[in-house]
Amino acid sequence: MRTQVAIVGAGPAGLMLGRILERAGIDAIILERRSADYVLGRVRAGVLEQGSIELMDEVGIGQRMHHEGLVHHGVELSFDGDPHRLDFQHLIGRHVMVYGQTQVTHDLMDARAASGAQTVYAAEDARLLDFDGEHPRIEYRKDGVTHRIECDFIAGCDGYHGISRASVPLGALETFERVYPFGWLGVLVDRPPVAEELIYAHHERGFALCSMRSPTRSRYYVQVPAAERVEAWSDDRFWDELRARLNPQTAAALRTGVSIEKSIAPLRSFVAEPLRFGRLFLVGDAAHIVPPTGAKGLNLALSDVRVLGAALVEFYGERSAAGIDAYSATVLKRIWKAERFSWWMTSLLHVFPETGAFGRRIQRAEFDYLVGSRVAQQSLAENYTGLLD
């Protein structure tokens, strides 16, 4: 097969890049090693920055998002039961929207299927070849048959554990990583959310988050040690622990139920540099991971895609390589800003056993400063809703 851009990975980053290119008349094939049902079955967060909302509209798939998504004009932070609401709309005139990553993926899949653009699912044993020259190609197996795709460029959108970053020669890539000593134990339940907006809570027992997927489905998290096993947590134990970390009014309003999904997500910060190797580009989780505290993961991937998509449109439309040459440097500036914000939110809201009483006093002082400073609140709101540069 021959195409202009081969995209590895059919998550939201790969599908959004395919959508941008398709609307510009650029041919692209998407390869995904899993089945379509598996991709749609992955449960992920879904707080969309204002820029991500606008991108969904720009590519023509925002209708369901606006019908089903929940617009949030702020969030609540609390420290040892003391709550404080940040009003993003009042502070900086911006907002976010709760709309699940699974739904974003579904919308992009539906649009791609309707247009007839090609996606190959269950593509096994993919190999990225000759991307350091002018004629890169991908070989893969499907149904026992080996296939080859020849292309102009390869976009690696296949996540942290994908083949794209692993294909980069040793020594050509520098990585930066911090692995946190805790994870998030998350429960999905078919009960109305405890509040209309997200609640981020710091407590001496650990962090907690009250989130939602819809007006009738809620997602809750508590901080647990990195080595914790999900089997050790019954539903009753989870609800008791969550209530203990919330302020009394919120805890009393919490509506519990039988969990329909329960899992533990480890937390890490990770960045790879650079993000271009000849005609291979790393995009999204293949390039960076952020702790979920700042709601940056999906949004940062879509930001990468917007930059790379515009660069490829410029290349084919104007025969200019300026955009693709600048891709790595351009997106890394935003990546590191998002890493900083996610690290800061994580540092403020979680319990770090190694910091002891002094560390908790510093966290309390940081919270009190935030509550008392409009400038500090504007900074949080600006970063949470999405930087404009």
Side-chain angles (χ1 to χ4, degrees):
M1 291 182 283
R2 180 74 174 86
T3 191
Q4 291 172 295
V5 181
I7 300 171
V8 185
L15 289 166
M16 181 62 80
L17 180 58
R19 180 69 174 172
I20 292 171
L21 298 179
E22 179 187 353
R23 287 170 65 88
I26 299 169
D27 188 48
I29 296 175
I30 300 178
L31 292 182
E32 169 58 51
R33 69 186 184 96
R34 301 286 194 172
S35 68
D37 288 342
Y38 181 92
V39 173
L40 284 174
R42 292 187 290 219
V43 177
R44 295 289 188 271
V47 177
L48 299 183
E49 297 174 354
Q50 196 156 321
S52 298
I53 298 168
E54 293 166 359
L55 181 59
M56 294 279 285
D57 287 334
E58 288 171 15
V59 300
I61 59 164
Q63 298 89 339
R64 190 162 71 97
M65 173 188 68
H66 287 292
H67 180 68
E68 299 180 8
L70 306 175
V71 175
H72 284 193
H73 296 292
V75 296
E76 179 182 300
L77 303 182
S78 74
F79 199 103
D80 288 344
D82 297 335
H84 181 79
R85 179 177 181 265
L86 280 80
D87 188 330
F88 299 154
Q89 196 68 33
H90 178 68
L91 289 166
I92 60 170
R94 292 172 66 80
H95 62 267
V96 295
M97 181 181 290
V98 173
Y99 189 64
Q101 179 171 321
T102 301
Q103 303 310 314
V104 173
T105 304
H106 207 306
D107 294 340
L108 287 162
M109 278 186 175
D110 287 350
R112 192 165 181 84
S115 71
Q118 187 172 4
T119 304
V120 181
Y121 290 97
E124 301 176 331
D125 299 328
R127 295 194 302 152
L128 281 54
L129 304 167
D130 297 336
F131 52 81
D132 55 345
E134 295 185 359
H135 304 287
R137 69 184 194 277
I138 301 177
E139 294 181 355
Y140 67 95
R141 285 191 309 107
K142 183 175 176 62
D143 300 327
V145 178
T146 299
H147 301 264
R148 176 193 293 179
I149 299 176
E150 297 175 349
C151 54
D152 299 328
F153 299 100
I154 301 173
C157 306
D158 52 343
Y160 181 78
H161 298 289
I163 189 63
S164 296
R165 192 177 71 252
S167 299
V168 175
L170 291 176
L173 191 69
E174 186 174 9
T175 60
F176 305 84
E177 185 173 28
R178 178 175 184 183
V179 178
Y180 295 88
F182 44 72
W184 282 11
L185 171 62
V187 162
L188 192 66
V189 61
D190 278 329
R191 290 290 187 273
V194 70
E196 293 183 355
E197 296 174 339
L198 273 66
I199 298 175
Y200 291 85
H202 176 108
H203 190 272
E204 63 181 357
R205 299 175 67 94
F207 166 79
L209 171 62
C210 300
S211 182
M212 68 283 293
R213 293 294 176 269
S214 74
T216 59
R217 177 168 288 187
S218 303
R219 183 75 164 168
Y220 298 104
Y221 299 92
V222 295
Q223 174 187 348
V224 296
E228 193 77 1
R229 294 178 59 84
V230 70
E231 294 81 10
W233 287 81
S234 66
D235 285 355
D236 287 342
R237 183 187 177 192
F238 177 87
W239 296 123
D240 288 345
E241 187 62 35
L242 178 63
R243 287 193 192 95
R245 300 183 187 190
L246 301 175
N247 70 59
Q249 295 81 6
T250 303
L254 183 68
R255 296 181 60 181
T256 66
V258 177
S259 62
I260 57 177
E261 194 271 340
K262 187 186 299 176
S263 59
I264 296 177
L267 269 65
R268 64 158 44 91
S269 300
F270 172 85
V271 181
E273 293 185 4
L275 301 180
R276 180 192 177 187
F277 305 89
R279 297 202 166 208
L280 167 65
F281 302 91
L282 300 183
V283 183
D285 286 0
H288 46 75
I289 298 289
V290 291
T293 325
K296 288 284 155 274
L298 172 59
N299 295 292
L300 200 52
L302 294 180
S303 175
D304 294 350
V305 166
R306 184 193 288 271
V307 174
L308 181 57
L312 291 168
V313 170
E314 178 187 52
F315 177 84
Y316 286 108
E318 304 175 20
R319 307 311 298 175
S320 170
I324 61 174
D325 288 343
Y327 167 73
S328 182
T330 299
V331 297
L332 279 169
K333 289 180 181 179
R334 187 181 183 94
I335 288 165
W336 278 112
K337 290 176 184 178
E339 292 282 353
R340 182 210 67 82
F341 177 68
S342 299
W343 164 85
W344 178 81
M345 285 277 286
T346 303
S347 299
L348 172 66
L349 294 167
H350 291 75
V351 171
F352 291 78
E354 69 273 17
T355 65
F358 178 84
R360 288 209 72 233
R361 291 292 195 279
I362 292 295
Q363 289 173 313
R364 180 74 212 204
E366 183 76 12
F367 178 81
D368 290 342
Y369 171 69
L370 178 67
V371 169
S373 170
R374 180 179 175 85
V375 173
Q377 293 175 27
Q378 286 175 324
S379 175
L380 189 153
E382 179 185 48
N383 280 273
Y384 195 93
T385 61
L387 297 174
L388 298 178
D389 59 343

